[in-house]
Each structure stands twice: as C-alpha cells, then as structure tokens.
Amino acid sequence: MTFDQSSWQLHNSRVYNIAGDLHLTEQSGPREFADAVTRVQADLGALDYVPESERAALDGELALVVEEATAEGDAAPDAMVGRLTRVAGRLRALRGATTAAVELGNSVDSLAQWAGHHF
C-alpha cells in the first residue's frame, strides 16, 4: 500500500501512517491512539509463524499501552514509548521475520513517535 499525501493541505502538521491505512495526526487523541494500538494487536495475531509465547508477550505489552493511553489522569508517555520501542525491535528481530513483521515493527515505531510528541 502506498501512503501518498502529496495532495494534502498540511500547515506545520505531522501525519503518522500506522499499519498502512490508519493515520494519526496532531489532532488525534488518546482514543484514536488506543484504536491504532488495538489494530496493531490484531495484525500481530495474523502473523501465524510467531511462536505463541512471543505473540503473548508482545500482545501483553501492547495491551498495557492501550490501558495506559485510556486511563483517567495523565498518561505516562515515556513508559508507552519504551514499551512500543521494545515491541518494534522484537518484531523486527523475530527469527525468520517476514516483510509483514518488519512493516508491523515500523508501524509500532510510528506509534511510539506519535506518543512521544503528543502525550
């Protein structure tokens, strides 16, 4: 899938392309962010060659990010960014990682960047 924003009228804005067709902007809030993380969790579930123990660990990390993002009060962006960065690295380091795992890792990195800038 191509992410083409050439016709978009953006003025001093950033757009984060998450998982191909899901985008976050500076105006996105915690709920949209949590929805993007949930989407990544679903995509992780579709990677059938990932060992169940690794999938469970990664899914658990992502679930904690969703919980932190949607909790009442102030979010802990450093904790979320750290979790997302670890998940991205683990996805790219999977033994026999396919393009899908690497792309999912890149999407998780985009989520980490968004959380770092907007929480």
Side-chain angles (χ1 to χ4, degrees):
M1 170 172 278
T2 301
F3 179 57
D4 179 12
Q5 66 184 50
S6 61
S7 63
W8 292 19
Q9 298 294 318
L10 299 176
H11 302 284
N12 298 322
S13 294
R14 291 186 183 97
V15 175
Y16 298 81
N17 183 28
I18 311 300
D21 60 352
L22 183 59
H23 306 100
L24 294 174
T25 68
E26 291 179 339
Q27 290 73 38
S28 298
R31 183 72 255 161
E32 291 90 357
F33 173 76
D35 290 345
V37 175
T38 301
R39 165 79 180 272
V40 168
Q41 283 180 287
D43 291 347
L44 173 62
L47 298 178
D48 57 1
Y49 59 87
V50 178
E52 187 57 39
S53 61
E54 183 71 9
R55 184 189 330 268
L58 294 172
D59 188 64
E61 291 274 357
L62 294 171
L64 287 172
V65 171
V66 170
E67 184 178 313
E68 292 167 344
T70 57
E72 292 296 321
D74 292 333
D78 291 343
M80 287 187 287
V81 169
R83 288 185 201 288
L84 292 169
T85 301
R86 282 191 304 275
V87 168
R90 288 170 72 177
L91 282 167
R92 287 191 290 264
L94 286 172
R95 185 174 305 273
T98 65
T99 302
V102 172
E103 288 177 359
L104 191 57
N106 293 340
S107 293
V108 173
D109 270 337
S110 294
L111 285 167
Q113 290 174 24
W114 188 93
H117 287 291
H118 301 292
F119 267 107

